[in-house]
Amino acid sequence: ISVDKRPSITVDKIIEFLMQNEQINNRQAREITGLSATRVRGVFKDMCDKDIIVPHGSNRDRFYTLK
């Protein structure tokens, strides 16, 4: 796997999870991607900026759904 493909694979895993479940949080994303909490937050931010997912709640209670 090239470094360039890793982010899209991570996004694909998160989208696949969300298609089977209504929502995802940071802990769940870490479990399915193997990334750190900080890296997952960055992926979530990018996905929100691209209008793929929508954040709900705040801080520790935050979760995301598909837009």
Side-chain angles (χ1 to χ4, degrees):
I1 299 174
S2 71
V3 175
D4 294 336
K5 295 217 182 251
R6 178 165 272 174
S8 66
I9 290 171
T10 298
V11 168
D12 289 348
K13 285 182 180 180
I14 291 171
I15 291 172
E16 184 177 329
F17 182 91
L18 282 167
M19 291 177 85
Q20 297 173 15
N21 304 272
E22 286 187 29
Q23 62 190 42
I24 191 168
N25 61 30
N26 191 291
R27 179 184 51 79
Q28 292 165 317
R30 289 194 320 265
E31 289 173 2
I32 63 171
T33 64
L35 297 176
S36 68
T38 304
R39 294 287 299 271
V40 166
R41 270 195 303 276
V43 171
F44 281 156
K45 182 181 181 326
D46 290 343
M47 291 177 75
C48 287
D49 290 347
K50 293 176 182 172
D51 289 330
I52 299 170
I53 59 174
V54 180
H56 304 274
S58 61
N59 299 324
R60 296 180 66 83
D61 295 326
R62 179 161 292 156
F63 64 91
Y64 300 84
T65 59
L66 286 173
K67 187 160 188 170

